[in-house]
Amino acid sequence: AGADEMLVTKDLAERKAQLLARADAVVVMVGGTGTLDEATEILELRKHRMHAKPVVLLNTAGFYDGLQEQFQRMETEGFLPVPLKDLVFFAEDGVSALAYLEEQAGVQR
């Protein structure tokens, strides 16, 4: 199956703005520095209450274990003005990511 829509943006800043504007939630999959850049910008905006969309880091095979540990240290040392659990959810697999998103949306099963 092909894409329903293709959106070309002029730069990375516009891409990130469009991603957030068009999304109901954000699921960050494994990736490189670009993925990390997008994820941290979305988390920073959420931290400052510039959006309230759920954010999930899909921690496939422990890929984001180190990042999760770093975020926990930031919280412990007072660098996060909101609780980490209110900022991001680390999901071990797609099933737990979807369950979290359904819970956030108030979906009853």
Side-chain angles (χ1 to χ4, degrees):
D4 291 333
E5 179 182 15
M6 179 183 288
L7 179 66
V8 178
T9 60
K10 66 179 178 171
D11 56 27
L12 185 58
E14 184 182 345
R15 173 186 150 121
K16 290 188 286 188
Q18 284 294 319
L19 180 142
L20 190 57
R22 295 162 142 313
D24 295 321
V26 178
V27 177
V28 180
M29 298 165 68
V30 299
T33 56
T35 302
L36 190 58
D37 174 65
E38 290 170 338
T40 54
E41 181 163 330
I42 287 166
L43 291 172
E44 188 67 11
L45 293 171
R46 184 166 166 84
K47 182 180 86 173
H48 291 287
R49 293 178 169 78
M50 297 176 77
H51 78 86
K53 298 174 184 186
V55 179
V56 175
L57 274 140
L58 190 53
N59 193 21
T60 306
F63 186 84
Y64 286 118
D65 284 352
L67 185 60
Q68 185 173 16
E69 183 179 336
Q70 185 62 49
F71 279 133
Q72 288 167 338
R73 183 172 180 182
M74 289 175 187
E75 180 178 45
T76 299
E77 295 189 15
F79 288 99
L80 296 179
V82 296
L84 182 58
K85 68 176 184 56
D86 294 343
L87 187 62
V88 63
F89 177 74
F90 284 83
E92 296 304 312
D93 53 36
V95 172
S96 59
L98 191 54
Y100 172 78
L101 292 172
E102 287 176 342
E103 176 187 308
Q104 294 301 300
V107 173
Q108 301 294 319
R109 287 194 161 233

